[in-house]
Amino acid sequence: MSLPTQSSGLFTEQVSEDKLVVSIGPQHPGAGHFRFTIRVEGDTITECIPDPGYVHRGGEKQTEYRTYIQSIPMIERSSLLDVTNITLPYCMAAEELMGIQVPPRAQYLRMIMSENQRIISHLYWLGIQGIFLGHSTMFMWPLGDRDIFIDLGQMIGGARITYSYCVPGGVRNDMPPNFKDRAMKVFEYFESRLKDYERIFFRSPLFEKRTRGVGVLSRSDAISLGVAGQVLRASGVKSDTRIDEPYCFYKDISFEVPVYDDGDTWARCMVHLEEMRQSMSIIRQCLEKMPQGQIKVKLSPQQRAQAGEAYCRTEAARGAMAFHIISDGSTKPYRTKWSVPSFRNLIALPKLLVGSHVADMPAIYWSLDYWPVEADR
Amino acid sequence: MVAQELESQQQQQQPPKKGSASLHSHEGPGLNILVGKAREVIQQAIVDPVTYLANWGRLYSLWPVHLETACCSIEWGAVSGPRFDAERYGILEAFGSLRQCDLVVVHGTVTRKMAPRLRFIYDQMPEPKWVIAMGACSISGGVYFDSYNVLPGVDQVIPVDVYVPGCPPRPEELIDAFILLQDKIRNSNIKKTS
Ligand code: SF4
């Protein structure tokens, strides 16, 4: 028997003595702009049907009636947690169609901003994961530290989070001269903070009890479902676009890709933690290696692209993010297709929830780092 | 409410003079002045303090319902965080039932799928209730003004008290909106809510 559809599934229904159908979201502390229906037997979830699409704003369609540069702020809004990483593949694909070579300094600036954004996004994730596990301190600490990294981004980008930094042809601003000193201070501070995080949260018995062995996704399932990012790496697959298909100057930078074999919520959390360390090390190396020079190739606002197709992939904060642009040679794309990691990770949710306890639901759900705005586009 | 009741009691206590229909118009100014004075006294002695107290109570304990509609909710997270700390103004997100909430902060875009839910949630909340429309999207559609799936403004579904422009608004702007809303509540009439 299938679950009730949207119209009838708004409320909790008692099906029999020990069976319930529970509708969760969109107004729910554990769901955000997302809804799913679960069937519960006692305390065990037996079926789960996700219902995404509450934030579908038709971004793909809208790029068709905006010029290449006009689309950028709108694409950025799809993943406000991760703004540089989502515009980067779009700009790379547009540059490929326009036949532009981006100056090396701009490439390094792009890398710095994307890694900074990755830390910002992971800290937001960590704050919410903390509160989902009933740990209020772990909500306050990462959100406070996140503001420090936002300030760092603000020094380069000029806005708090929406700086539309990458544009076809390069980046918008150069970095101020005092950025390097400031960044080094922030990293020094944050490294000691990460140790505090580990002490108070990641190694606490509460965290271990609530995440170890909860929501296990095996390696073969992870591959066959086609999940991305941290979910894939926590299931023992070493996959990272920055290493597999290096873009910008990632091939010149040495960093590690954290991989865990457990596949449970604990492993997914640890991958996030480790990635923040790696991102800081990447920014440090970028600041060392960065050459002087141009930051952008000047383009006309009505720049035309050659007819054809381009496909570019980068590693965003949640996993591989890809853009496919089809151009008919005019000033606007003919069609764009965005492949976002959040939406690909959603498919793992029913798999992970079935068989687990109701109380584990928030921890499993948020460990996928599912961001509905990005998934619905 | 209080004023009306007291007023009617007051009127009952007055001895009716030669048919009540002509009470206010033809019987000379004496009684009119008395009724007017009594109303003023009641207003100043009872209604004003009660209004002040009730508004003061509502003012600093606004409970926003946890409803995220789009990307502005990130700045909402920052406002709840330690740097901006909306709790200083008595605003703390209610993780319990929406029947204990009195504030809806619409975090940005409202799509056609979300709009009926938003209205549904708003209708379930008890009076008095207020709405803050956060972000360009909830005012006019913002960057998505020409999208096929986005409402051009949330005021098409629910009444809005304070609009906060920005995409997304900075946390300071949102705090400013809270202060504006508190001003509005401070000056509102207890008889007529929202
Ligand atoms: S106003 Fe801007 S940030 Fe807010 S929901 Fe709309 S697009 Fe997102």
Side-chain angles (χ1 to χ4, degrees), chain B residues 6 16 25 55 120 140:
Chain B
L6 286 170
S25 48
N55 283 345
F120 186 60
S140 64

Side-chain angles (χ1 to χ4, degrees), chain B residues 39-62:
Chain B
R39 190 177 288 158
E40 205 174 285
V41 167
I42 290 165
Q43 180 75 25
Q44 280 178 3
I46 301 168
V47 181
D48 283 356
V50 168
T51 309
Y52 176 79
L53 269 182
N55 283 345
W56 175 81
R58 288 167 181 171
L59 194 58
Y60 297 115
S61 62
L62 290 168

Side-chain angles (χ1 to χ4, degrees), chain A residues 57 77 80, chain B residues 70-72 107-109 134-138 143-144 166-169:
Chain A
R57 302 183 285 197
R77 264 38 173 202
L80 214 53
Chain B
C71 33
C72 274
H107 301 159
T109 331
M134 179 184 180
C137 284
S138 57
V143 262
Y144 297 93
C167 184

Side-chain angles (χ1 to χ4, degrees), chain A residues 83 102 139 156 168 175 203 211 264 270 334-335 366:
Chain A
V83 286
V102 182
F139 172 74
I156 298 186
M175 65 181 196
R203 278 202 238 107
T211 54
D264 53 2
M270 292 320 258
Y334 175 74
R335 171 91 167 86
W366 196 250

